[in-house]
Amino acid sequence: MHLKTGKLLYLGMVCLLLACGKKEERNAHIPDQSFNDGWRFHKGELEAQATDYNDTDWEVVNLPHDWAIAGPFDRKHNARTGGLPVTGMGWYRKTFEIDPSMEGKNISIEFDGAMNDAYVWVNGELVGNRPFGYIGFEFDITNQVNFGQKNVIAVRLNPKDLSSRWYPGAGLYRNVRIKYNDPTHIAQWGTYITTPKITSTLAVVLIQTKLNTQASKQVTLKTTLLDQEGNTVQAKTQRIQSKSEQITLETELQVNTPSLWQPDSPYLYTIVSEILDQDQIIDRYETPFGIRNIEITTNEGLLVNGERVQLNGVCMHHDLGPLGSAVNYRATERQVEILQSMGVNAIRTSHNPPSPELLEICDKKGVLVIVEAFDEWKIGKVENGYNLFFDEWHERDLRDMIKRDRNHPSVVMWSIGNEILEQSQKDGWKLTKHLSAICHDEDPSRKTTIGFNYYPAPYKNQLAFQVDVVGLNYWPLQLKELREQYPDMILYGSETSSQTSSRGIYHLPIQADVVKETGQVSSYDGTVGPPWAYPPDVEFEQQERNTHSLGEFMWTGFDYLGEPTPYGGRDNSTNGHWNGDWPSHSSYFAPIDLVGLPKDRYYLYQSQWTKEPMIHLLPHWNWEGKEGEKIPVYAYTNAEEAELFVNGKSMGKKVKGVDKTPIPAEFHFFDKGTYMSPYRLSWEVPYSPGDLKVVAYTDGQKVASKSVSTAGEATQIQLDIDRTQINADGQDLSFVTVSIRDEEGNLVPNADHLIQFEVSGAGTIAAVGNGNPRSLRSFKGDKMEAFSGQLMLIVQSQKGEKGEIKIEAKADELTTAESSIQTL
């Protein structure tokens, strides 16, 4: 990430001097400024680019903003894209002034993303268009603005149905900045940092800096390397006498006894690039980076600083559940934290460039990332997909993605595509080679990859040989076969399992069929999924057997809006929309539901991917009417063995890896019959109300336990707040887990009470949600039904208001719950 910024004190001094009109400060550096607040929004087919257009009755919004997430959910929309109103023309307008002291500066507007097909006008003049909704871009507006007068910026977006295969969101959903640059300044994404030499005693840091310059003007580039505490490690200056409008300079700095960036210790340095006109700073550009060495090898897999890292990864779409696609730092950070607790150490940004915030967070938390560019090339998968823009825009978009993201130490590979249909073409290799070459040209330090889902087409048609690393989408048994055929090929599971489930739902008897009547999928995980899916256990086993594989990226980390597989078939009554099982409108794939609550499968992955002793028990123990009937009970643990107790009576011990759970295997590449999993422990015990408890042992010693009790009648609401103190910046969030419990405090697993919220004081309701893929209640209201006894309230601070946020949750026949959050 690149930050044109300085210390707050410095910014304050600059602003004060500007306010006083001091002429000698006209050329001083002005940090980039947020351009998020005070926009007006309207959705509708109209022409609103003129400066004098009357927008006084439009909605006032602050960015980032997703116009579709408030709903309503409606069958007339496409369930594949969330059943939400993402389509149609939307307009954003903002009036702003630029101080006369800025005359002589280069003025530009930078968008981190706009969904999609953005056209931008300033004072009625078109300044640019960018079709791809996921890419960042910048427009120079110097010639369009008026200094000391009113200026109007207008942005038109026109997303169409099925522009993607999932919920894309709509609007100016990422951050926007205004930039005031001296005519001689560092270009957008203008630094490229590599560490070509790393030893325990010395690291060489090579910085390429691209400058936009004025011919014949003499300036100085000062490059300073700071450690994580802000101390100067080394600095160099270079005199510049430019004879062209753009030049690139190389600077080499050294770090003695470097602190390396690695997943368990993600140490970050910063390069500060300053342009000085005599002794005055006219531009300042900060680039965080990490000193680390990445090797991707045929036999040893992925090496980070010489140590092998097995990729325990997930694929992630960009939406934030009830918050929609509007980017929020805390919501993104929380997602990464929940994933890391599951044992995740890598993310594949499926299937598009991610937000800058995600990569910044992964840098800080030590999560490895594959940044992916496209879901389509020339051949489309959906009627309004990226294929419509590919010929004109693919090279610009791909190069811009790499330039933006190449300094992030978390980024380990560039993915040029996902399940592209050119796999089946005999000449598809040509385009694959072309895209891979673009990546190598912009960033020779990283390898390229792609996710192939056909077999053996990409190998027969030579596409697989045009990238450095080959990703397999849903072909775990081919890891061995491909290794034998192509011993030098580097392989990994780029998309795996694709199993489905609903949090807290258990269907008896266990079966591999979708229970259409419920619209839900059983959380006896590993039994139900689409035709290409298979239990997580299969991938665990194949990764263990094929040690040359880099690892896997399970589909997906979090449930996401849209694509409600295994529901959501085509419905001819709604123009062929994927509404055949309406109201299903969000995914069932992930081990974590739409609001961030873990499903049972979360703990299955945790049992494989973490070392801290843990055990998980399922199902719930409320089976009224099934007294005496045998109920399957599963335990997931990373311990050696476990013992189950029912009402204090032992049901026996099970040893992990010996006792095997039968899992139906009616999947596309398995023999009919039974797949035996060594990764789960199971019992079948007669149901008797009371207590279910499982104890985990290692070396004969108790290391973990978990209990579930039969819940009585629901009597109360419980509020669990993830952060009781948040920043009063108008963006920070606190996530409140709301549970329906009986008098003894047990979760009531089938409770579906409608909870009414009141939030007052220094905060507001950002969203509510329950993780139910079939819920049609708006995320932007003040009430929501519980799903499997739980739901989520998301509270947001109000900008500049420090104090207490009061929360009240109430429902018929339940005791009201109250709590509070402090804003600082």
Side-chain angles (χ1 to χ4, degrees), residues 183-490:
T184 297
H185 62 275
I186 298 163
Q188 183 189 33
W189 311 318
T191 57
Y192 176 35
I193 302 172
T194 54
T195 50
K197 179 182 178 181
I198 303 173
T199 69
S200 60
T201 58
L202 179 70
V204 173
V205 180
L206 187 64
I207 307 103
Q208 294 181 11
T209 308
K210 182 174 289 187
L211 285 78
N212 296 324
T213 63
Q214 290 175 291
S216 76
K217 183 172 184 177
Q218 190 175 75
V219 295
T220 299
L221 172 65
K222 181 180 180 181
T223 306
T224 306
L225 197 160
L226 305 178
D227 65 17
Q228 192 159 271
E229 289 71 41
N231 303 309
T232 298
V233 177
Q234 191 181 16
K236 284 187 178 180
T237 59
Q238 295 164 272
R239 297 290 291 170
I240 306 167
Q241 180 73 53
S242 176
K243 295 182 179 180
S244 62
E245 293 184 354
Q246 193 170 78
I247 61 172
T248 300
L249 298 177
E250 283 198 358
T251 308
E252 183 179 298
L253 300 177
Q254 296 182 352
V255 182
N256 294 321
T257 317
S259 297
L260 302 185
W261 187 96
Q262 47 200 21
D264 60 353
S265 180
Y267 192 95
L268 292 171
Y269 291 89
T270 300
I271 290 293
V272 179
S273 306
E274 296 173 315
I275 300 178
L276 291 86
D277 184 356
Q278 298 182 19
D279 61 348
Q280 188 175 72
I281 298 172
I282 60 173
D283 198 18
R284 177 185 172 92
Y285 201 89
E286 293 189 6
T287 312
F289 74 102
I291 296 175
R292 57 101 177 102
N293 182 54
I294 297 290
E295 296 178 82
I296 302 178
T297 67
T298 304
N299 295 316
E300 297 181 80
L302 173 66
L303 304 178
V304 181
N305 302 321
E307 296 184 8
R308 190 181 195 281
V309 176
Q310 180 77 7
L311 293 173
N312 299 329
V314 296
C315 301
M316 287 286 285
H317 277 318
H318 70 299
D319 77 68
L320 296 169
L323 296 168
S325 64
V327 70
N328 179 278
Y329 189 94
R330 172 54 196 161
T332 307
E333 179 183 56
R334 173 178 174 265
Q335 284 192 336
V336 174
E337 290 171 351
I338 293 170
L339 289 169
Q340 284 188 297
S341 294
M342 191 175 78
V344 169
N345 63 9
I347 291 172
R348 174 182 175 228
T349 69
S350 314
H351 303 290
N352 44 259
S355 69
E357 287 77 8
L358 175 65
L359 296 184
E360 179 183 340
I361 291 163
C362 289
D363 286 347
K364 292 177 178 178
K365 293 186 175 295
V367 176
L368 305 175
V369 182
I370 295 177
V371 172
E372 193 154 83
F374 309 121
D375 187 48
E376 294 180 354
W377 293 350
K378 286 177 175 287
I379 306 175
K381 301 174 184 177
V382 287
E383 58 195 60
N384 292 305
Y386 185 75
N387 72 96
L388 300 177
F389 309 110
F390 183 88
D391 284 342
E392 180 179 357
W393 286 99
H394 73 272
E395 182 165 356
R396 174 74 182 276
D397 288 340
L398 183 56
R399 288 187 183 276
D400 281 358
M401 180 191 82
I402 294 169
K403 285 187 286 190
R404 187 197 72 168
D405 296 343
R406 62 189 175 183
N407 293 318
H408 288 279
S410 58
V411 177
V412 295
M413 281 188 281
W414 305 116
S415 174
I416 59 174
N418 169 71
E419 299 183 356
I420 47 91
L421 300 183
E422 281 81 353
Q423 292 172 85
S424 297
Q425 293 189 324
K426 290 185 178 180
D427 64 349
W429 64 272
K430 295 179 182 179
L431 192 48
T432 312
K433 182 178 181 179
H434 166 68
L435 294 170
S436 189
I438 291 172
C439 296
H440 290 148
D441 181 58
E442 285 292 345
D443 178 27
S445 73
R446 290 180 179 86
K447 294 188 182 297
T448 59
T449 187
I450 191 170
F452 291 120
N453 64 320
Y454 294 168
Y455 185 84
Y459 310 93
K460 179 181 178 181
N461 294 330
Q462 301 298 302
L463 283 78
F465 304 100
Q466 312 308 318
V467 290
D468 303 311
V469 184
V470 175
L472 281 72
N473 286 13
Y474 310 111
W475 292 98
L477 299 187
Q478 271 54 52
L479 284 169
K480 180 177 184 294
E481 180 179 328
L482 287 169
R483 178 65 164 180
E484 291 170 348
Q485 292 180 16
Y486 312 109
D488 294 329
M489 185 174 284
I490 304 174

Side-chain angles (χ1 to χ4, degrees), residues 728-748:
D729 58 5
Q731 293 293 321
D732 206 1
L733 303 173
S734 186
F735 289 79
V736 184
T737 301
V738 183
S739 304
I740 312 302
R741 299 189 176 266
D742 68 8
E743 192 171 348
E744 302 298 322
N746 298 307
L747 178 71
V748 182

Side-chain angles (χ1 to χ4, degrees), residues 449-608:
T449 187
I450 191 170
F452 291 120
N453 64 320
Y454 294 168
Y455 185 84
Y459 310 93
K460 179 181 178 181
N461 294 330
Q462 301 298 302
L463 283 78
F465 304 100
Q466 312 308 318
V467 290
D468 303 311
V469 184
V470 175
L472 281 72
N473 286 13
Y474 310 111
W475 292 98
L477 299 187
Q478 271 54 52
L479 284 169
K480 180 177 184 294
E481 180 179 328
L482 287 169
R483 178 65 164 180
E484 291 170 348
Q485 292 180 16
Y486 312 109
D488 294 329
M489 185 174 284
I490 304 174
L491 302 164
Y492 70 105
S494 45
E495 204 166 304
T496 65
S497 185
S498 214
Q499 202 62 61
T500 56
S501 61
S502 301
R503 175 179 54 79
I505 301 297
Y506 306 96
H507 293 154
L508 293 175
I510 297 176
Q511 56 184 337
D513 298 322
V514 174
V515 182
K516 287 282 188 177
E517 295 77 16
T518 69
Q520 304 294 346
V521 182
S522 177
S523 200
Y524 277 114
D525 293 309
T527 61
V528 181
W532 62 86
Y534 51 90
D537 319 54
V538 176
E539 194 70 39
F540 296 155
E541 182 179 65
Q542 293 304 312
Q543 292 294 329
E544 289 175 2
R545 290 182 177 181
N546 295 279
T547 56
H548 60 279
S549 172
L550 305 183
E552 67 162 307
F553 289 83
M554 173 261 296
W555 187 263
T556 53
F558 272 64
D559 277 342
Y560 54 92
L561 291 163
E563 206 171 23
T565 310
Y567 296 101
R570 285 195 179 274
D571 178 6
N572 292 329
S573 68
T574 54
N575 299 318
H577 287 177
W578 293 78
N579 297 343
D581 296 299
W582 186 263
S584 294
H585 57 264
S586 67
S587 90
Y588 299 75
F589 284 116
I592 304 164
D593 76 8
L594 200 65
V595 299
L597 294 174
K599 305 178 190 178
D600 293 297
R601 197 161 10 114
Y602 176 94
Y603 301 98
L604 177 60
Y605 281 96
Q606 192 180 68
S607 73
Q608 292 303 116

